[in-house]
Amino acid sequence: MSERPSPFVLTPDAWATFLASLYERDDRLDVRQPGETYAPDEAVDAWALSAHAEALRSAEVDGDLWGTLDDIEETAATEDEAWSTITAFYLARGCVLVEVQGLDEPEDWIFSEGLARRLGLGGL
């Protein structure tokens, strides 16, 4: 059995900085570049990010944990077990887990490898 990749861990301040560093234009999410101008409607918050990454455990975005579990044809008895199963499924397929630690509620996101690399997550 292969070892599960470590999550990319952010503090709440680092998470806010990460979101502020992004922009969305024409359904593409990317990192803002110094000296470039971005329209206010290109700002990215958790809702905008959720169109590009899975936010199955988030205080700001209601993820469909049980629907996702059904989609991958798995079952679980608890939310924690469901999250563990879903995370293992996606990590085995090269995805990256981002955990924001230090909040009252879990803030965990799953990014595809390509998106994580483009956004500078996980040292990819």
Side-chain angles (χ1 to χ4, degrees):
M1 185 172 172
S2 65
E3 187 175 316
R4 190 173 180 175
S6 297
F8 189 71
V9 178
L10 297 173
T11 64
D13 287 343
W15 177 246
T17 299
F18 170 69
L19 289 176
S21 76
L22 304 176
Y23 74 97
E24 181 182 44
R25 181 181 297 157
D26 299 326
D27 296 327
R28 180 173 167 87
L29 185 68
D30 218 328
V31 178
R32 293 173 183 261
Q33 299 300 312
E36 294 291 320
T37 303
Y38 301 92
D41 66 347
E42 294 178 332
V44 173
D45 59 11
W47 282 102
L49 181 62
S50 71
H52 303 274
E54 293 294 330
L56 299 173
R57 295 198 325 172
S58 172
E60 294 185 53
V61 178
D62 292 329
D64 186 8
L65 190 69
W66 298 107
T68 301
L69 195 65
D70 285 341
D71 289 346
I72 63 172
E73 299 178 353
E74 293 286 349
T75 59
T78 66
E79 284 189 13
D80 285 340
E81 184 182 333
W83 177 247
S84 181
T85 300
I86 291 166
T87 302
F89 176 87
Y90 282 107
L91 292 180
R93 286 153 180 81
C95 293
V96 175
L97 173 62
V98 174
E99 294 179 351
V100 183
Q101 295 182 353
L103 298 171
D104 293 336
E105 296 182 45
E107 191 71 40
D108 300 328
W109 293 70
I110 297 173
F111 290 77
S112 70
E113 183 179 12
L115 179 61
R117 182 178 293 115
R118 190 169 72 241
L119 302 181
L121 290 171
L124 298 173

